[in-house]
Amino acid sequence: MDKIFLDMDGVVANWCKGVSDWFGGNFDQKDVETWSWAKDHLGLSSEAYDEGVVNEEFWERLPRTDEFFEFLELIEPYKDITCILSSPSAAGGLSGKQTWIKNHLPYFYDNFQYLIGPAKSFCAGPGALLIDDSGRNCKDFIAAGGHSILVPRRWNKNWGLDCVKYTRDMLEHYMSIKNR
């Protein structure tokens, strides 16, 4: 592979715990079954939920995932060809996510190796690999000509697999092949 694209939310940033902390809940990534679960569990209207996550500070304060350091270790040998990808879901998300990257992933921030935008599949190509927790993002990336690793999370089909081991095994597999 020539390029690795590492998703932020749900892979290295614990969005679920961030939502719980922001809205005063008591759950973490291991508890969330669907994308709407957090909103439903907290009993928030769509308006109240959306208003909370448009806040720049919300995105800046997201905690790291439990696997954060293990994922950084996995991509360390490939950091020169790795780019952080994230989709802003709200106006404040853009600057908040940029600050998060600066604070938690300074190498990628300092070297301008991050892209924030909704169309991850535009980065796809024969030598491109996406590491993401969204089945839809992975399918779109493959459909656009790239490769993907679906990080096991409770809300996707890989739930139950050892998150770090599976990602490591798949990364080793993809890095052993050349631009297929």
Side-chain angles (χ1 to χ4, degrees):
M1 296 293 112
D2 296 324
K3 298 284 181 209
I4 298 171
F5 296 97
L6 181 66
D7 177 46
M8 185 176 134
D9 300 326
V11 177
V12 292
N14 191 335
W15 181 86
C16 300
K17 178 75 170 124
V19 168
S20 178
D21 291 348
W22 188 260
F23 291 106
N26 186 24
F27 57 89
D28 198 351
Q29 204 157 276
K30 296 176 279 303
D31 304 314
V32 176
E33 298 173 356
T34 64
W35 289 111
S36 64
W37 188 90
K39 180 181 72 172
D40 298 340
H41 182 74
L42 291 166
L44 296 169
S45 68
S46 291
E47 295 77 21
Y49 177 79
D50 291 345
E51 187 176 312
V53 298
V54 299
N55 188 308
E56 179 179 347
E57 186 181 353
F58 166 80
W59 298 101
E60 291 174 4
R61 296 173 101 190
L62 289 178
R64 298 170 175 155
T65 59
D66 292 343
E67 306 86 7
F68 176 85
F69 291 106
E70 291 168 292
F71 280 138
L72 288 188
E73 186 178 312
L74 290 178
I75 63 167
E76 174 65 27
Y78 316 110
K79 71 180 182 184
D80 292 340
I81 63 165
T82 300
C83 180
I84 305 301
L85 285 187
S86 192
S87 298
S89 56
L94 184 63
S95 57
K97 287 177 182 231
Q98 188 172 18
T99 300
W100 194 94
I101 293 167
K102 180 180 179 181
N103 292 339
H104 297 279
L105 300 167
Y107 172 85
F108 298 98
Y109 180 84
D110 293 343
N111 290 288
F112 306 104
Q113 290 176 229
Y114 63 94
L115 296 170
I116 301 173
K120 293 179 181 180
S121 61
F122 277 99
C123 297
L129 175 64
L130 174 67
I131 302 173
D132 203 310
D133 62 307
S134 166
R136 182 177 177 195
N137 287 343
C138 288
K139 285 179 187 175
D140 291 349
F141 204 83
I142 291 168
H147 304 273
S148 72
I149 298 171
L150 180 61
V151 174
R153 294 292 186 226
R154 191 166 182 166
W155 51 83
N156 69 42
K157 70 179 185 175
N158 284 350
W159 174 244
L161 298 173
D162 181 297
C163 182
V164 175
K165 181 183 181 323
Y166 175 78
T167 305
R168 178 185 300 113
D169 291 349
M170 293 302 296
L171 181 60
E172 288 173 1
H173 165 73
Y174 279 116
M175 296 312 290
S176 72
I177 60 177
K178 186 69 177 166
N179 301 341
R180 285 198 226 160

